[in-house]
Amino acid sequence: MKVAIIGLGSVGSAVATAIKNTGLVHEMVLFDRDGVRAMAAAADLGHASAFSFDVKITAANSYREIRGSEIVVIAAGANQKPGQTRTDLLAANADVIRDIIPRVMANTDPKTVKIIVVTNPLDVMVMLARDLSGLPAARVIGTGTMLDSARLRTILARQFDVSPMSINAYVLGEHGDSSVVNWGSICIGAIPLNDFCKSTKLPLPQTTRRTIEHRVHNAAYEIIQGRGATWDGIAAAVNDLLRCIINDEKRILTVSCVATKTNVAMSRPAIVGHDGVITVLTPRLLPMESRALQNCARIIKKNYNNI
Ligand code: NAD
């Protein structure tokens, strides 16, 4: 399996490291418009091959070198500076996606290639990448709220002192400020959240729930304030998505892809396998969550219409 990564900044480099450390792929090709940076990343990570999996890692001078890649990860573009929202990146990153997608399509097999979009504002970039590539929606996949859901699961795990692996909890909608915590479908193990709270006598009052939502929404801002960018969490999310596709695991992940009915991309729980998104599921939603999701769709559509 050959994978290409476009954009070797904080996120792309961390993604490359995460993928390298799993041994899931035998070949990785790294492209950045800053060729020196891509070359340095390929050399540095290549040296790590002596300590773990022997993955062939090369820096590409041109898109011709991504030929044969079955999955292309797009992590290029401007990132948020302290105080900026993801939406502030809209115009600049739309140009980045417009630059990248035609070149990717000219050098990959349109019958099989899967594009994973990481660039923000994520959902709009997924819609643009889908339009420009002409690929089926199932094969243009944004990491969406995988990271937001992971943040929610971790917070709940610490609250209840249970492994995050045993928390099934989704954040849905926009990967952005309007994302929606889907309280109605949270289960700890197989036990619905409210039943779990009752049986363990660990209540989760509304005030705590609002605080948790706030922490999920603000996690990226706090990390950017502290270390300039976020990369570890998103790299783990991309690697998890890649693993799910490569191994045809058919796990349920909150990824973003364009819905046929609405033509809007936003995150919903979806079964993901070798051919990308197989089925998008409809979770149980509280009326408030349903309204909040409609609001997400409106925001994403409006932003899309602005580019
Ligand atoms: P960065 O500035 O560190 O790196 C961006 C890289 O993209 C640079 O190396 C730059 O040379 C390259 N680049 C820019 N335009 C290019 C082009 N047209 N072709 C090829 N390469 C190009 O930024 P970062 O911190 O790595 O973030 C990258 C993107 O990922 C941002 O849009 C950021 O908001 C996003 N991000 C998304 C998530 C998520 O959950 N989806 C999480 C973190 C960051």
Side-chain angles (χ1 to χ4, degrees), residues 62-69 102-109:
S62 83
Y63 275 87
R64 287 175 67 86
E65 291 163 64
I66 75 164
R67 287 186 180 178
S69 299
R103 298 168 199 254
V104 167
M105 294 315 296
N107 290 284
T108 52
D109 181 352

Side-chain angles (χ1 to χ4, degrees), residues 75-99:
N79 60 10
Q80 289 165 264
K81 306 293 175 278
Q84 270 189 319
T85 68
R86 295 174 181 90
T87 311
D88 292 333
L89 310 171
L90 194 60
N93 284 350
D95 284 345
V96 170
I97 298 295
R98 286 190 192 104
D99 171 46

Side-chain angles (χ1 to χ4, degrees), residues 15 54 61 83 135 164 185-186 244:
V15 166
D54 184 14
N61 284 319
L135 291 175
S185 72
I186 296 179
C244 193

Side-chain angles (χ1 to χ4, degrees), residues 237-278:
V238 173
N239 189 56
D240 192 53
L241 175 54
L242 215 77
R243 196 189 93 182
C244 193
I245 294 171
I246 292 172
N247 293 340
D248 196 20
E249 291 179 13
K250 301 192 171 87
R251 277 187 289 124
I252 297 173
L253 305 173
T254 50
V255 288
S256 176
C257 77
V258 177
T260 341
K261 236 176 163 177
T262 59
N263 243 344
V264 171
M266 65 180 191
S267 290
R268 289 150 303 162
I271 305 172
V272 179
H274 182 263
D275 296 324
V277 172
I278 302 167

